[in-house]
């Protein structure tokens, strides 16, 4: 192998850095063959009438308490309803708790599903997988994230990747299972582009848009030219599937590093300070603003992780004692940050005429126990919880489903994680009968049969 750069800083699980794809002659077989987009479109698997649709998935890692946020129980005993008052919104059908005053003014733009549940283990990793892929990781089968499946089926619209994760992938949450944020059995070719940086930092830069420090832009072009010469001398290898896959990743890495459009998309400093402050000068707020910029410039899917881990930081994981969060910590830090950024995102998308073609979904891995625990918090509870949808064809101001009087189980219209993912696919114009090339090349349904979209949202 001819290697012209130093070690990159961003690695995948095989130890191969994105910048390693700029090393001439690197031989690595990663991912599957390129998607046969034209064939899929011809078969009706892809609805091109919705080709302008995009999705911003806000994943509330840690899991908000349904009773303390979007499904208040004002008539329940205090140990059930919690410490927060219920407030009215600008939608007659939606009530929230007082910790979301900005969202209350925009309730006509989003709808809530209050009856999501699952019956698997009450651990974070399980919910992460199911809510982003539609399936639990079983039998060694790792189903791709919805954004990765979208990239496989529709490809990218511009020089930017089709799917971006902000600010970084989910980290440790107490288990050792996949979190559902990669391309799974589709292969690494369709893994998302990961920011791996804090956009609220004063020295914010995107690592993968920077050439290795010892290579100037001129020398970077020479690397590309030299690699072409090396490839010409080994045509037999170039005809192999491994070489084609490596070539795809090399060109993706080079295109990003040399793309003016990519640099422009991530240039938050070009936003007016008033806009940046409206979103909030914190990591989550600036990620939401960056998500809008990316979608505006052609990115099909952006996943925003509200938090990265549940340990030793203030998150939605309100067990009530360290290293976790108290209900007061959620009230004073988490909720104001979320309320500000989420409402700014919806307002911004609406004002720019982007909301109709951009689904914004706020998801979580499970809910919280109906009864407050002795530490003053709430524990894991997959029995029922609330998720939200806005834009992308969704009608605002609606409540679908209902939890029981203590917020413990669905009372009406139970919704499984696969229904949630099916709803995202519907908005994006993906036929649920579509089959992906699964393990050992056998056809694998994009969603298991029998799980339909939540039609009442549209």
């Amino acid at each position: 192998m001819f290697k012209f750069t130093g070690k990159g800083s961003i690695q995948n699980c095989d130890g191969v850095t994105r910048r390693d794809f700029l090393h001439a002659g690197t031989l690595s077989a990663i991912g599957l063959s390129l998607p046969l987009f034209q064939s899929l479109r011809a078969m009706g698997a892809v609805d091109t009438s919705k080709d302008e649709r995009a999705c911003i998935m806000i994943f509330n890692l840690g899991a908000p308490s349904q009773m303390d946020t979007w499904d208040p129980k004002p008539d329940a005993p205090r140990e059930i309803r919690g410490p927060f008052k219920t407030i009215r919104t600008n939608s007659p059908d939606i009530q929230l708790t007082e910790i979301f005053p900005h969202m209350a003014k925009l309730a006509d733009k989003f709808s809530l599903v209050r009856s999501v549940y699952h019956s698997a283990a009450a651990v974070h990793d399980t919910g992460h997988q199911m809510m982003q892929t539609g399936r639990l990781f079983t039998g060694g089968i790792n189903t791709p994230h919805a954004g990765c499946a979208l990239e496989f089926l529709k490809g990218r619209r511009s020089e930017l990747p089709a799917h971006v994760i902000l600010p970084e992938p989910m980290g440790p949450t107490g288990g050792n299972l996949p979190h559902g944020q990669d391309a799974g059995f589709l292969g690494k070719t369709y893994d998302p582009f990961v920011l791996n940086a804090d956009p609220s930092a004063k020295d914010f830069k995107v690592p993968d848009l920077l050439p290795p420090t010892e290579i100037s832009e001129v020398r970077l072009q020479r690397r590309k030219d030299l690699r072409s010469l090396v490839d010409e001398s080994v045509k037999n290898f170039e005809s192999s599937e491994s070489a084609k896959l490596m070539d795809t990743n090399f060109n993706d890495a080079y295109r990003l590093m040399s793309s003016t459009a990519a640099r422009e998309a991530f240039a938050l400093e070009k936003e007016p300070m008033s806009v940046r402050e409206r979103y909030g000068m914190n990591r989550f707020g600036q990620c939401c603003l960056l998500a809008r910029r990316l979608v505006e410039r052609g990115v099909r899917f952006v996943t925003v992780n509200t938090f990265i881990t549940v340990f030793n930081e203030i998150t939605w994981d309100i067990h009530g004692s360290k290293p976790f969060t108290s209900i007061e910590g959620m009230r004073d830090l988490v909720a104001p940050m979320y309320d500000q950024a989420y409402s700014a995102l919806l307002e911004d998308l609406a004002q720019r005429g982007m909301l109709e073609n951009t689904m914004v979904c706020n998801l979580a891995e499970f809910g919280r126990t109906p009864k407050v625990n002795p530490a003053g918090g709430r524990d894991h509870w997959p029995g029922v919880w609330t998720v939200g949808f806005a834009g992308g064809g969704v009608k605002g101001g609606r409540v679908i489903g209902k939890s029981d009087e203590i917020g413990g189980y669905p009372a009406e219209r139970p919704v499984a994680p696969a229904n949630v993912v099916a709803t995202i696919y519907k908005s994006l114009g993906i036929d649920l009968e579509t089959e992906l090339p699964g393990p050992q090349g056998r056809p694998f349904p994009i969603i298991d049969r029998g799980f339909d979209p939540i039609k009442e949202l549209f």
Side-chain angles (χ1 to χ4, degrees), residues 134-161:
R135 289 189 185 90
L136 186 61
F137 178 77
T138 55
I141 297 175
N142 190 11
T143 303
H145 184 288
C148 300
L150 176 67
E151 177 167 4
F152 176 85
L153 292 170
K154 290 197 173 187
R156 59 179 71 199
R157 281 198 294 236
S158 66
E159 293 177 334
L160 288 159

Side-chain angles (χ1 to χ4, degrees), residues 115-177:
S115 53
V116 183
Y117 78 101
H118 75 69
S119 55
V123 294
H124 294 284
D125 301 8
T126 296
H128 296 159
Q129 297 160 19
M130 299 171 76
M131 291 298 289
Q132 295 177 99
T133 74
R135 289 189 185 90
L136 186 61
F137 178 77
T138 55
I141 297 175
N142 190 11
T143 303
H145 184 288
C148 300
L150 176 67
E151 177 167 4
F152 176 85
L153 292 170
K154 290 197 173 187
R156 59 179 71 199
R157 281 198 294 236
S158 66
E159 293 177 334
L160 288 159
H163 179 203
V164 177
I165 287 183
L166 307 176
E168 56 186 279
M170 293 179 178
T173 54
N176 58 358
L177 297 173

Side-chain angles (χ1 to χ4, degrees), residues 23-81:
H23 299 161
T26 299
L27 313 181
S28 59
I30 49 180
L32 295 163
S33 58
L34 295 176
L36 301 176
F37 175 69
Q38 297 296 340
S39 298
L40 289 166
R41 181 168 62 180
M43 291 186 295
V46 178
D47 183 357
T48 53
S49 68
K50 296 180 179 178
D51 197 50
E52 295 305 311
R53 288 277 174 89
C55 179
I56 298 173
M57 175 191 286
I58 299 174
F59 205 98
N60 290 312
L61 185 145
S65 161
Q66 62 274 22
M67 286 76 64
D68 298 306
T69 55
W70 302 293
D71 189 11
K73 302 294 181 183
D75 298 325
R78 179 176 173 80
E79 65 269 21
I80 300 295
R81 73 173 184 268

Side-chain angles (χ1 to χ4, degrees), residues 114-360:
R114 287 177 171 165
S115 53
V116 183
Y117 78 101
H118 75 69
S119 55
V123 294
H124 294 284
D125 301 8
T126 296
H128 296 159
Q129 297 160 19
M130 299 171 76
M131 291 298 289
Q132 295 177 99
T133 74
R135 289 189 185 90
L136 186 61
F137 178 77
T138 55
I141 297 175
N142 190 11
T143 303
H145 184 288
C148 300
L150 176 67
E151 177 167 4
F152 176 85
L153 292 170
K154 290 197 173 187
R156 59 179 71 199
R157 281 198 294 236
S158 66
E159 293 177 334
L160 288 159
H163 179 203
V164 177
I165 287 183
L166 307 176
E168 56 186 279
M170 293 179 178
T173 54
N176 58 358
L177 297 173
H179 293 281
Q181 293 205 310
D182 58 33
F185 59 65
L186 287 178
K188 295 186 181 302
T189 298
Y190 301 100
D191 274 351
F193 177 89
V194 180
L195 179 63
N196 278 317
D198 181 354
S200 68
K202 291 183 179 179
D203 59 349
F204 168 58
K205 291 182 176 62
V206 184
D208 279 5
L209 296 187
L210 302 174
T213 55
E214 69 270 30
I215 296 185
S216 66
E217 290 188 12
V218 173
R219 293 182 66 200
L220 185 64
Q221 178 62 44
R222 288 176 181 169
R223 294 292 80 77
K224 186 171 185 288
D225 295 341
L226 178 56
R227 182 181 180 277
S228 297
L229 290 173
V230 173
D231 291 345
E232 182 66 24
S233 69
V234 284
K235 286 186 176 179
N236 289 337
F237 171 73
E238 281 297 304
S239 65
S240 73
E241 192 67 18
S242 294
K244 293 174 184 176
L245 296 171
M246 183 272 287
D247 192 58
T248 298
N249 286 274
F250 177 94
N251 288 329
D252 286 350
Y254 181 83
R255 178 170 54 219
L256 271 176
M257 287 187 186
S258 59
S259 169
T260 301
R263 294 177 189 275
E264 164 66 22
F266 287 97
L268 279 178
E269 71 277 5
K270 295 189 177 183
E271 291 285 340
M273 185 53 65
S274 59
V275 173
R276 297 193 68 178
E277 290 175 345
R278 170 66 183 94
Y279 277 84
M281 295 301 292
N282 52 66
R283 186 179 67 187
F284 176 67
Q286 296 304 291
C287 280
C288 287
L289 174 54
L290 186 53
R292 186 269 286 166
R293 287 183 64 87
L294 293 172
V295 167
E296 196 171 30
R297 288 157 177 81
V299 174
R300 293 185 184 275
F301 206 111
V302 181
T303 301
V304 179
N305 291 324
T306 312
F307 301 103
I308 309 305
T309 179
V310 295
F311 300 114
N312 296 310
E313 68 171 303
I314 303 298
T315 73
W316 296 111
D317 201 25
I318 56 166
H319 289 287
S321 57
K322 293 182 179 181
F324 305 106
T325 308
S326 64
I327 287 182
E328 291 73 24
M330 180 182 70
R331 176 195 64 200
D332 297 337
L333 296 173
V334 179
M337 173 198 74
Y338 190 85
D339 188 43
Q340 180 177 0
Y342 178 76
S343 61
L345 178 61
L346 292 193
E347 282 185 332
D348 203 358
L349 290 171
Q351 290 168 3
R352 292 169 181 269
M354 297 171 60
L355 189 58
E356 179 58 33
N357 278 328
T358 306
M359 171 176 274
V360 180

